[in-house]
Each structure stands twice: as structure tokens, then as C-alpha cells.
Amino acid sequence: MVKHIVFWRVREDENKQKNMEKMRELLTSLVGVVPGLLSAEVGFNYNPKGFDIALYSEFDSKESLDGYQVHPAHLEVKKFVHSVIIDRVCADYEI
């Protein structure tokens, strides 16, 4: 199993909360669409020193995570995400 964890900072503007909610909706909707994506949980950070959004997702294998990165549905979500964020960090690990 592979854990894929991503943190984002969302651009500060009048649409920030709306954009965060749309990110959560889009990211979680990929479960059942992208093969090998077992779960996706998105949370909004309340710690003012951290990133705004966290994604915790699980894949059945490294190959599934690789496929997710190029899957058309994920690429569409990625377009929106990259239009509203200002920073991103990621960690992937196998258990």
C-alpha cells in the first residue's frame, strides 16, 4: 500500500473558502474513478502557521499512484487546483 499526502496553500482572495471546498469535492470524487485509488480524505487546517488544505490518500500500489498522476480525471482536477494554489508539498511512502 502507498500513502500519498499533499499540503497546499490557497491564494488569499474573496473566493478562498469556495475554492477550498471545490478542491475537496473534486479530489474526493476521484475515488472509484481512478484505478487503485482506495481512499481520499481532504481536511482544512485550522492551525494558522500551516498549509490550508491536506490530502491524505491511499493507493493499492506504487504503480497505481503513478497511473493516478497521468489519469485524465486527475489531470482535470489538477488544472483547477493549480489555478488557485500558491504552494504545495507532497510525500509518498510505501507500507
Side-chain angles (χ1 to χ4, degrees):
M1 180 177 290
V2 171
K3 310 289 184 163
H4 174 63
I5 303 170
V6 186
F7 298 98
W8 294 277
R9 280 195 182 92
V10 178
R11 185 175 53 249
E12 294 286 342
D13 65 21
E14 67 278 356
N15 296 314
K16 181 176 181 177
Q17 189 63 38
K18 180 179 164 188
N19 288 337
M20 290 172 57
E21 290 169 9
K22 184 171 181 178
M23 284 177 65
R24 177 169 43 199
E25 177 187 327
L26 292 171
L27 289 161
T28 57
S29 74
L30 294 173
V31 176
V33 174
V34 177
L37 173 57
L38 304 175
S39 66
E41 177 181 294
V42 176
F44 300 159
N45 185 17
Y46 59 83
N47 181 331
K49 296 182 182 180
F51 283 74
D52 297 309
I53 299 179
L55 166 67
Y56 173 84
S57 52
E58 296 180 336
F59 291 82
D60 62 11
S61 67
K62 184 180 181 312
E63 293 76 22
S64 292
L65 175 56
D66 293 343
Y68 167 79
Q69 297 299 340
V70 297
H71 191 281
H74 175 252
L75 294 176
E76 281 300 309
V77 170
K78 191 175 176 179
K79 278 187 208 176
F80 174 75
V81 168
H82 282 261
S83 76
V84 300
I85 64 159
I86 57 172
D87 197 9
R88 172 189 179 275
V89 293
C90 178
D92 300 318
Y93 61 94
E94 210 165 14
I95 60 166

